[in-house]
Amino acid sequence: MRVLKIDITDQVNEGVIRETSRLAAIVYKRVITYANKNKTSSVYTISGSKGLYHQLRGEYPNFPSGLISSTVKSATGAIKSWNTNNKKKRWPLRVKNSKYMALNFSLHGISLRGNLVTFSTVAKRQRVMVNIPEWFKSRYPERKFKMGIINYDAKTGKTILNLVFETPTLHTEKGDEVVGIDRGINH
């Protein structure tokens, strides 16, 4: 996977991005609270017919359904990670009190066609022209667009778009020698 980081501050409506990011933080906190209360980290339980998804769609009709789904996946991933890494105090996971959150888009919520990126927000789909550098195109000619992440920084007012590409692994064979990797572990 390779990530291309692009500043799109001048091309988007800051108010729309800020509101979308704010609602994402609210949905994230609601999912964490629901998961802690019901002791579940299952995406299917939270998104299912008796879960939280339909309630969130009703409360936030302007918030794109794809973003609700990706926010649920992010929250359940955080819960699973917390429970795995903190076996003695598994529940509850505490949520950071942040006003804005990164927007994780699957291919349902964001698209890349040539240099045009479009993505869902609370207002409508935003359109942004990006310049993918020639060095990136030549180095990764077989890249495949997988997802996008938008980070809004309230302190600076900057909006950063991260385009995530899947790239084939490069295997170079230079003989029969074994190459080791220093993982920094001391025994």
Side-chain angles (χ1 to χ4, degrees):
M1 296 287 199
R2 297 288 180 236
V3 179
L4 191 59
K5 193 175 193 176
I6 303 167
D7 185 350
I8 59 170
T9 305
D10 298 335
Q11 298 185 56
V12 294
N13 182 333
E14 181 184 350
V16 170
I17 298 296
R18 185 176 47 237
E19 180 62 12
T20 307
S21 182
R22 185 185 72 77
L23 286 178
I26 291 170
V27 168
Y28 185 83
K29 289 175 190 175
R30 290 276 308 276
V31 170
I32 295 289
T33 304
Y34 180 88
N36 284 337
K37 180 181 173 189
N38 295 295
K39 302 267 192 256
T40 182
S41 60
S42 168
V43 174
Y44 302 107
T45 303
I46 294 170
S47 296
S49 60
K50 295 180 181 177
L52 192 60
Y53 176 82
H54 296 292
Q55 185 180 353
L56 291 170
R57 287 293 298 145
E59 289 179 32
Y60 307 106
N62 293 340
F63 195 64
S65 62
L67 276 176
I68 288 178
S69 296
S70 66
T71 305
V72 167
K73 286 180 184 174
S74 295
T76 55
I79 292 165
K80 288 175 185 175
S81 176
W82 169 262
N83 287 339
T84 301
N85 294 327
N86 299 288
K87 297 210 184 281
K88 291 184 180 178
K89 50 181 180 176
R90 288 177 49 121
W91 299 94
L93 169 63
R94 291 181 184 85
V95 183
K96 292 188 296 182
N97 196 16
S98 98
K99 191 171 182 180
Y100 302 105
M101 186 180 159
L103 303 171
N104 295 316
F105 291 97
S106 65
L107 292 179
H108 299 290
I110 192 168
S111 67
L112 172 66
R113 291 183 200 105
N115 289 343
L116 177 66
V117 175
T118 62
F119 54 91
S120 302
T121 64
V122 292
K124 61 179 184 176
R125 278 187 88 78
Q126 299 288 308
R127 300 167 60 92
V128 175
M129 294 299 291
V130 296
N131 184 17
I132 298 176
E134 286 301 321
W135 67 265
F136 192 84
K137 291 177 186 177
S138 64
R139 185 165 186 185
Y140 307 110
E142 296 178 24
R143 68 192 177 278
K144 183 177 178 185
F145 181 60
K146 295 304 278 184
M147 67 179 291
I149 303 167
I150 296 179
N151 291 310
Y152 171 71
D153 186 352
K155 291 179 184 174
T156 62
K158 286 192 177 258
T159 303
I160 304 297
L161 170 65
N162 296 299
L163 300 175
V164 180
F165 295 92
E166 183 178 61
T167 56
T169 55
L170 300 175
H171 295 287
T172 57
E173 295 185 25
K174 291 191 174 188
D176 296 330
E177 295 181 26
V178 176
V179 177
I181 299 171
D182 182 4
R183 295 177 57 195
I185 299 173
N186 294 326
H187 288 285

